[in-house]
Each structure stands twice: as structure tokens, then as C-alpha cells.
Amino acid sequence: MFRTALRNVLAHKARLLMTVLAVMLGVAFVSGTLVFTNTISDAYQNSSAKGFDQVDVAVRPDYQESKGNKVGKTPELTHALLDKSAKTPGAASAIGVVSGFTALADKDGKLIGGGFQSQGGNYWGAEDPRYPLVEGTAPKGARQVAIDSATAKRAGYEVGDKIRMSIDGPVLSPTVTGIFTTDDGNVAAGGSLALFDTATAQKLFGKTGTYDEIDVQAAPGTSQTALRAALDKTLPEKLVETTTGKQLADDQAELISSQMGSFRQMLLVFAGIALFVGTFIIANTFTMLVAQRTKELALLRAVGASRRQVTRSVLVEAFVVGTVAGVTGLIAGIGIGAGMRSLMGALDATVPDGPLVVSGGTIATALAVGILITMLAAWLPGRRAAKIPPVAAMSSVHAQATTKSLVLRNTLGALFSGVGVAVVLWATTLNSSDGQAPMGIGAVLLIIGVFILTPLLSRPLIAAAAPVLRVFGTAGKLARQNSVRNPRRTAATASALMIGLTLITGMTVMAGSLQKSIDKMASAAIRADYVVSMANGNELSPDVDRKLDATDGVTITSPLRNAPSRIDGETEYLTGVTGAAIGELTDLKVDSGSFKVGGDQVVVDSDTAKSRDWTAGSTFTAHFEDGRAQRLTVSGVYEGNELIRGIMVDNKTLTPHLSDPADMQVLVKTADGASDATKDRLVKALGTNPAIKVQSKQDLSDDIAQMFTLILNMVYGLLAMAVLVAVLGVINTLAMSVFERSQEIGMLRAIGLDRKGVKRMVRLESLVISLFGGVLGIGLGVFFGWAAGELLGTKMATYELVLPWGRMALFLLGAAVVGVLAALWPARRAAKLNMLSAIKAE
């Protein structure tokens, strides 16, 4: 039986090629994902470990004492602590570290890197071992700076150039005196790093005489653990905490691994979808192969082979196919991993250097996935073939499905679909956090149910295309009959395409609806023409509001100033606003009371009011940062959203209690409204500062839209693999169907159907099957998109369902194109059949 199985594999090389390709693509996606994420993770971890080479023990402020008191003062690392650390037994040297956000502008005045990755710090002495200079000298004084080599190369800066930058105030234009190399993770991720001398850095970052961290290096012969123990004895208890360099590297590696884990999980989900689609194709292929060899298997049974041996022979074939697909998929996956790594470099997503990582786990996973998926998909057809009595198989009376099996299948499908729809609808009544799991379960049940019911659905839906197919005459009529002749085969072929289009349509509906709701939120909540903020989300200096208020054409401004307070023993952040202007700068719906902010009167968003059981007229006591308290009255309750929410209090009431006032945003209304000229005027008024963003309502929406577009394009790219596998399935099914119907095609040729008619028949059959899968997929995608939107609507009051009719039409057109392209080779093969040889075929 083993030799027989191997002969069958070799005898049907052409028929099994598509199956190998389908499995190989899925395995390649899985192994490529593992290779890529392992390579990137390993590169970042090695780079991170190098970054801690100069740190044996890090001394940091101990924040434990102030965790429960947000308005308390944090500990400081003074120069005296630095000296004490350097003189600790076992310490060779100590470096004081200062760091903070530093926005660098390129030569066009635009921000380099992405806000959060733009950092600054201090260069220690004439030669800092952390940052080896490759060109120039160390910075000295407020007019000199050193920048990292990656930023210098990316922006075209050289030693001697002036560079525009901003930290937390006016724009600076120091001279680049040095260019250095670094293993800093932010720089590796595409950010920038600017270094000043220590005194300048402390002044610029508001830490005069203090440090953010003290890095201590051990003397020869002293371990990190021993040095840490010595520092713990020397330094004040409950003021600082110490951590070894090894622990810092391990923590950083764990963080990187965790971050890459999420990315890896997302990629593997799409790889799983490709494999899931491939499973249909494999099962379909083996079902057709077994059906074509029914008489052969019956003869084996007749000469003494048992049911187990017949099943085993089919599984041996699947094992060989799965092994070949697993090995080739692994090789292709290694290439995909290397390609994705190179692609990141081409997209300016800088990654640390490192070798391509192909772990034993990746190899084992690739082979296991390829073999197991193929054998599982082949088991059911093999088992079904083994159950057929030899006499029945030889006379082909087994070919038609029994009424009992069809009733059982349709009942099971209806049950799964009904339960899936019910669970999804129930999930839409829950809030977003509680409804996610039920909705996911309901979606899976519904997809399984529709897949089971697809043979039943194929007849009426394909029959609906009959009027169109009649236009093509005899070829169209034959195509329709061929499509419904074997509903199970048609269903398995169409389902592969259905799953991909379901996910693509669902994501498109959600993305479009979210974008619409965000546009609506911005236009509904904000009357201001512009919102000004820091590029990295940090706080703005109060000078920004004053400069904007003094700019020509600006009529009203209001800073949004966040400050911590204690209310009823709990920390609650207050939002300071210009009470007299906030009503003209926002357009928030008031549920009760009036929108009046001034003196002791405040307004509260509905969620906060509900959680604290406040209504219009309620009073409460707020304890401020300076320790003083004031009784405040709720004048009104408004509907908050993702842009504006919280307790709004007049800045005249709030600011006297703050030691260092800072604003999160500034709302600006101008006489001429939003325009390019007005925006340029505001940007120039702020000194063309690269750290500050001036955004109109449209800019805010576009920023979020850009994020959605990026995610959506990534999803399209990843799901393209599943669609490609589905295309292979359509080609495979048609090619095998042509082989199976060789005699029939020969007869059609003999009675007058020419080669063009045969080609047209196969193409129309493929087109009908693809459109059938496309209609099901788009329908399910719209339903899932609507259901997910209902869930999001519990958190986003402005959510509104938007059906992207244009894109859905393109998806359906794409399904049709898939059908036409998939039929090219099978149609050509069918047309080339010799009619006499085909008529004689068994």
C-alpha cells in the first residue's frame, strides 16, 4: 500500500502541483513571519544590550513614595549624589544622565523623526564612552550641539552646519560640532538624538544641578551585583533605587520581545487565514482525486485491502505532499523574511544591523504546519472513500449525495448560522469591552455555518445569473449547469474566496465609518479654526498662548491646561480653560444646566458626572497641587468625546494653585477662518518651531485618516496572500474538473461545440463561481462591519455606518477578474483536448 501511494503521487504530479503551491504559500507566510519578527527582535535586543555596555549599575529616583500622591514632589538626583556614587567602593566612574524631548528640523524646516522618538541629552566631558565621535568634537556651550550619524545622513547635516531645534520654548539654532554613533533604540527606530554639554542640557531641560539617572561603571574585578550592594549601603534609602546593567538589558529585551510579540501575533493571524483558506483547497483537491480514483480504490478493496489501508494510502500521499510543501514553504519563508527586512530599510524604517535568524522552532513549525494541515484536509476524503463498498464504487452508484446527508448538512449549517447571527446581535447590545469576545465567537460560528450551507445557497444564487448567461448561448447554459452540478465542489471553491473578501469588506466598512465619525466629532465638538499642540504630545509653554493671542487676525484663544487634584480622596485631573471664550471655541451638547465656566463654576462631561453621581447644581471640594482646597459648583453637564472631556475650570481659578503651569493644547479662532495663509501666519508667529503642530479640524481628521489608511493597506497586503491562495483553488478545481469531464468535453466537441465555445464555457463557469464567492463575502463583510460598528458606537457617540459602495463594487469586480484569470489555463487545456481520445477516456 505504501508503494501504491507513492506511485499515485508520482502519477498525478500535475494535479497535485496546485495543492503543493497552496500549502507552500501558507507555510511560507508563517515561516516568513517568524523569521522576520525573530530577526528584528534579535537585532533590537543585541543593540539594546550594547547600549548598556557602559552601565554596570543605574541609579534612579525612587518614585515609590509618591505613587499614591500625584501632586507630591519627586526625588532628585543631585551632584552630591553623583560624587558619592563615584566614590563608592568598587566604582570606577559615574556619569550623570540628562534627557528630554528635543525636536530637530530638517533643512526644509520639518520635524525629523516622529515626535516621541526625537530625544536630546548630555555629552559627558570631552570623550563620552556612550557616544563615540566619528567626526568633529564634543559640544561646548549653548550654541553647540552633536547629533547622531543616522540623523546627519538622513537630513544631510555636516559638522559646521546650523540646525534648527526646539526643546520647550523658543527655536534654537546651534552649530553642529560633532557627529556620533549610538545604539539607542529610538535612533534605530528612525528617531533623532541631539547632545549638549551637561550644563547646557540641565538648563535646557529644566534640571539645573540635577540628573535623570546616574550610570556607574564598576572597577575591574567588581561584579555588577557587588557594586549595586555597595551603592545601596552608600546612597540614601528611600530616595534612590539601583538596577544592574544586566537587569536593564534583560528588561529592555523583554519589552522588545513583548512589543514584537503583538506584531508577530497580528502577522500570524493573517498567515492562519491563508492556511485556513488553503485547507479548503487541499480538501477539495483530495476529494476530487479520490473521486477520480474510486474504481482504483474499489479494486484494491476487492483484492483484499482493508478500509484502514485505503485511508492510510491517501494519508501517505498527503504526507508526501505536505512534506514537499513544508520544505519549499520554509525556504520561501526565509526569503520572505529577508525581503521584509530589506523593505523596512527601503521605507526608511531604520533597523539595527544583525544576522537573519532562522531558529529551530521556525523550522519545526513550518514542517509541522505543512504536514499536519495537508493530512487533516485529506483525512475526510480518504475516510469517505474507504467506506464505499467495492461493488458500488465500480458501478459509480455512490456518486450522488444521499438525501439524508444533504438534510443533515443543511440542518447543521442552519444551526451554526442561526446561533452565530444570534450571538453577534447579542454582542451589539453590550459595551465595547464586554462584547468583543462574544462577537468574535459569533463571527466564527456564522462563517462556519455559511460554509456548510454554501452548497444549498449556490443553486438559487447561481440560478439568478441564468438570464445573463443565456446571452452567451450554449456555452453560457453549459457553464451554469456545470456550476451547480456538484454543489459541494463549487461551495468549497467559492468559500476560499468568500473568507478573504469577508475580512477585506468588513475592515473597509469599519475604517470608512470610523473616519466619518471622527470628521463628525471634530466638526461637532470644535468651533475653533486651529488646535495647537506639541509634536510629541508633551505640554506647551504658556508663552505659546500669549504669542498666538497677540498675532494679527486671531480673535479668540483658550489654552487647555491639565492639572492634578484630589476629589473625595481620589486623583482627578482638571482641565483649565479661558472661561469667557471656551463656549465660542467648542460646540459641545449640554445635557443639563448651562455651559458656564468661571469663578467657582465648572462644567463636567456626562461620564464623569455619572461616575460621581453629579448633576447640574452639585458641589464638590477640589484639593489643588499647592495643598489648598476650593468648593466648586457644577453649572452644567455636557457630552464629552475623544477630543474634549473632563472637568473644565476657569484658568483664573486654577492657575494660581500651579507651580509650573503648562498647556496640553491651545484652541485658536481667527477672523479669516482656516486657510493656508492663516496657518502660515500662526506658524511664523511661533517661530516656525518644529516641536509645535498647528492643525485645522481637517488636519486632525487627516492625521487619523492617515493612520487608518496605513492599517487598511497593511490588511489588504496581508489578506492578498489569502486571495492568492483562493485563486490557486479556483484554478485547481477547474483544471481537475476539466480532467474529470474529458469524455463529456470530447462529446461536446464531436456534436459541434468548437474550441472557442469550450474556452468560453470554462471561463463562464469560473466567473460564476468567483462571483458567487464574492457576493457571499461582501454580504458577510457588510454584516460584520455593521456589528463591529454597533459595538464601537457604545464608546463613540458620533459613530455612523458608512457603506463604501465604490470599493465594494471594486471588490466584486476583483472577484470577477479572479474568475477570468483563474480560468485561462484550464480553458486552454480543455480546448486542446483531442475529441476522439477524450471520448475513449475512462
Side-chain angles (χ1 to χ4, degrees):
M1 292 301 295
F2 181 73
R3 286 195 298 271
T4 301
L6 289 180
R7 275 198 300 270
N8 282 326
V9 172
L10 295 174
H12 303 115
K13 293 188 288 290
R15 285 188 252 169
L16 291 173
L17 176 62
M18 292 298 174
T19 305
V20 171
L21 283 173
V23 182
M24 186 199 75
L25 282 172
V27 172
F29 205 165
V30 172
S31 54
T33 295
L34 293 174
V35 168
F36 173 67
T37 53
N38 287 341
T39 298
I40 299 300
S41 180
D42 185 71
Y44 274 115
Q45 288 177 14
N46 290 338
S47 174
S48 175
K50 288 179 184 176
F52 293 108
D53 284 348
Q54 304 299 323
V55 183
D56 286 315
V57 178
V59 181
R60 295 171 173 173
D62 187 355
Y63 295 101
Q64 294 295 326
E65 293 297 310
S66 60
K67 276 187 177 179
N69 180 15
K70 295 290 184 183
V71 296
K73 189 177 181 182
T74 57
E76 292 181 341
L77 300 181
T78 62
H79 194 73
L81 282 175
L82 175 68
D83 289 340
K84 191 175 286 188
S85 300
K87 294 175 183 177
T88 298
S93 62
I95 293 175
V97 178
V98 183
S99 62
F101 171 67
T102 301
L104 301 183
D106 60 20
K107 292 188 176 181
D108 294 326
K110 296 180 180 179
L111 178 67
I112 298 174
F116 292 97
Q117 298 167 342
S118 303
Q119 296 293 314
N122 65 313
Y123 193 93
W124 190 260
E127 290 186 8
D128 193 327
R130 301 170 300 168
Y131 308 111
L133 287 168
V134 293
E135 191 178 346
T137 59
K140 294 179 181 178
R143 296 184 179 180
Q144 295 187 0
V145 68
I147 61 174
D148 67 272
S149 55
T151 297
K153 182 179 179 181
R154 190 161 61 244
Y157 283 118
E158 298 177 351
V159 171
D161 288 346
K162 295 278 188 182
I163 183 169
R164 290 174 60 82
M165 63 174 59
S166 176
I167 295 172
D168 188 22
V171 175
L172 307 174
S173 298
T175 301
V176 177
T177 61
I179 296 174
F180 58 87
T181 59
T182 177
D183 292 312
D184 186 278
N186 284 322
V187 174
S192 61
L193 181 61
L195 301 178
F196 310 89
D197 66 54
T198 301
T200 301
Q202 287 177 323
K203 181 180 179 182
L204 290 174
F205 297 123
K207 297 163 186 173
T208 304
T210 63
Y211 305 96
D212 294 305
E213 179 177 308
I214 297 172
D215 293 341
V216 186
Q217 196 161 21
T222 303
S223 67
Q224 291 186 353
T225 307
L227 178 58
R228 181 185 179 187
L231 286 167
D232 285 340
K233 291 180 181 178
T234 304
L235 301 179
E237 190 178 356
K238 293 185 179 180
L239 184 61
V240 298
E241 58 180 2
T242 57
T243 311
T244 64
K246 182 180 182 306
Q247 184 62 50
L248 289 173
D250 290 346
D251 291 345
Q252 187 74 5
E254 186 177 346
L255 177 63
I256 292 170
S257 180
S258 174
Q259 292 171 340
M260 291 304 297
S262 301
F263 185 51
R264 183 189 296 117
Q265 186 177 11
M266 181 190 73
L267 290 176
L268 286 175
V269 165
F270 288 99
I273 292 168
L275 279 173
F276 185 54
V277 172
T279 303
F280 289 119
I281 298 170
I282 301 163
N284 208 17
T285 301
F286 275 94
T287 299
M288 295 175 72
L289 284 174
V290 169
Q292 291 170 9
R293 289 167 41 214
T294 301
K295 289 186 179 180
E296 175 191 326
L297 296 175
L299 184 59
L300 289 174
R301 290 288 311 281
V303 297
S306 66
R307 287 183 177 183
R308 285 186 178 180
Q309 286 178 313
V310 171
T311 304
R312 200 177 298 137
S313 70
V314 176
L315 290 177
V316 167
E317 291 181 46
F319 176 80
V320 174
V321 171
T323 302
V324 173
V327 172
T328 53
L330 173 62
I331 295 170
I334 294 171
I336 289 173
M340 291 174 74
R341 166 73 182 271
S342 301
L343 181 62
M344 290 191 71
L347 296 175
D348 292 330
T350 311
V351 179
D353 292 330
L356 201 66
V357 179
V358 184
S359 66
T362 300
I363 297 172
T365 300
L367 293 176
V369 166
I371 294 170
L372 288 176
I373 289 292
T374 308
M375 292 186 71
L376 284 172
W379 174 75
L380 189 60
R383 184 170 175 269
R384 189 185 298 130
K387 283 186 174 183
I388 301 171
V391 175
M394 288 180 180
S395 61
S396 299
V397 299
H398 67 288
Q400 296 299 322
T402 63
T403 303
K404 180 180 177 182
S405 68
L406 291 175
V407 169
L408 179 62
R409 180 183 181 117
N410 293 337
T411 302
L412 193 61
L415 183 63
F416 269 95
S417 299
V419 172
V421 170
V423 172
V424 169
L425 292 177
W426 172 62
T428 61
T429 64
L430 306 175
N431 61 47
S432 59
S433 55
D434 294 336
Q436 290 177 7
M439 183 164 290
I441 294 169
V444 171
L445 290 174
L446 180 54
I447 287 176
I448 293 172
V450 171
F451 169 68
I452 297 172
L453 284 175
T454 306
L456 179 66
L457 297 172
S458 64
R459 290 184 179 276
L461 287 178
I462 291 176
V468 178
L469 292 174
R470 286 197 195 102
V471 175
F472 298 95
T474 303
K477 183 178 179 180
L478 290 170
R480 184 184 65 80
Q481 291 174 345
N482 289 335
S483 300
V484 297
R485 178 187 299 177
N486 192 332
R488 291 187 177 184
R489 182 196 303 159
T490 299
T493 307
S495 294
L497 196 59
M498 176 193 78
I499 293 170
L501 283 176
T502 295
L503 295 168
I504 290 173
T505 304
M507 291 296 298
T508 304
V509 170
M510 282 186 62
S513 300
L514 281 170
Q515 183 56 47
K516 178 71 174 179
S517 67
I518 289 162
D519 289 343
K520 188 176 177 182
M521 183 191 304
S523 59
I526 300 175
R527 288 181 182 169
D529 296 317
Y530 292 97
V531 178
V532 180
S533 61
M534 287 287 282
N536 67 335
N538 280 0
E539 297 173 332
L540 289 163
S541 166
D543 287 337
V544 171
D545 178 51
R546 287 192 283 270
K547 288 181 179 179
L548 290 169
D549 193 44
T551 303
D552 289 340
V554 172
T555 56
I556 306 172
T557 66
S558 175
L560 302 183
R561 184 168 296 169
N562 275 13
S565 69
R566 305 283 289 181
I567 299 173
D568 297 331
E570 297 178 1
T571 299
E572 186 77 60
Y573 277 84
L574 305 176
T575 301
V577 298
T578 302
I582 193 63
E584 296 183 52
L585 294 167
T586 59
D587 190 15
L588 300 166
K589 182 181 177 183
V590 179
D591 291 336
S592 62
S594 60
F595 198 85
K596 185 177 181 181
V597 182
D600 63 352
Q601 291 189 313
V602 302
V603 291
V604 183
D605 70 282
S606 53
D607 289 341
T608 303
K610 184 178 179 181
S611 66
R612 292 189 174 275
D613 199 24
W614 290 343
T615 59
S618 296
T619 60
F620 62 92
T621 301
H623 297 267
F624 298 104
E625 181 183 309
D626 60 359
R628 289 188 288 171
Q630 183 170 345
R631 196 75 177 165
L632 300 174
T633 301
V634 178
S635 65
V637 177
Y638 67 92
E639 286 188 10
N641 54 53
E642 282 70 18
L643 296 177
I644 301 176
R645 63 175 60 195
I647 304 173
M648 290 191 197
V649 57
D650 196 331
N651 276 323
K652 292 179 181 178
T653 303
L654 180 64
T655 304
H657 299 286
L658 305 179
S659 58
D660 186 19
D663 305 324
M664 295 304 297
Q665 295 174 327
V666 178
L667 304 181
V668 182
K669 195 168 184 62
T670 61
D672 300 329
S675 66
D676 290 340
T678 303
K679 184 175 180 178
D680 288 342
R681 190 161 62 246
L682 296 179
V683 169
K684 288 178 181 177
L686 297 173
T688 317
N689 194 322
I692 299 176
K693 294 192 297 184
V694 179
Q695 295 178 294
S696 65
K697 288 185 284 187
Q698 188 59 49
D699 292 334
L700 289 172
S701 295
D702 290 345
D703 264 6
I704 301 171
Q706 186 177 9
M707 179 182 67
F708 283 140
T709 302
L710 180 64
I711 294 172
L712 200 59
N713 288 340
M714 185 182 295
V715 169
Y716 286 163
L718 293 171
L719 286 175
M721 181 68 73
V723 174
L724 180 59
V725 174
V727 172
L728 287 175
V730 177
I731 297 172
N732 205 17
T733 299
L734 288 172
M736 298 185 74
S737 177
V738 167
F739 179 85
E740 185 182 273
R741 292 170 7 223
S742 296
Q743 191 177 50
E744 175 190 321
I745 292 172
M747 290 293 293
L748 289 171
R749 291 287 315 283
I751 61 176
L753 189 66
D754 60 10
R755 290 187 174 182
K756 285 185 178 180
V758 171
K759 285 184 179 180
R760 189 179 298 118
M761 176 187 72
V762 176
R763 287 172 185 160
L764 289 173
E765 181 182 346
S766 174
L767 181 64
V768 166
I769 292 173
S770 297
L771 286 175
F772 170 54
V775 168
L776 284 181
I778 291 172
L780 282 173
V782 169
F783 176 69
F784 290 140
W786 166 81
E790 290 294 302
L791 207 59
L792 284 172
T794 61
K795 287 286 186 183
M796 189 177 289
T798 56
Y799 186 85
E800 179 183 339
L801 179 68
V802 175
L803 293 180
W805 296 106
R807 289 208 175 188
M808 288 193 292
L810 285 176
F811 296 156
L812 197 59
L813 179 63
V817 171
V818 164
V820 172
L821 294 177
L824 291 177
W825 178 60
R828 191 162 174 262
R829 183 182 178 188
K832 281 188 172 183
L833 284 175
N834 182 289
M835 68 178 74
L836 294 178
S837 300
I839 290 170
K840 285 192 232 177
E842 287 289 331

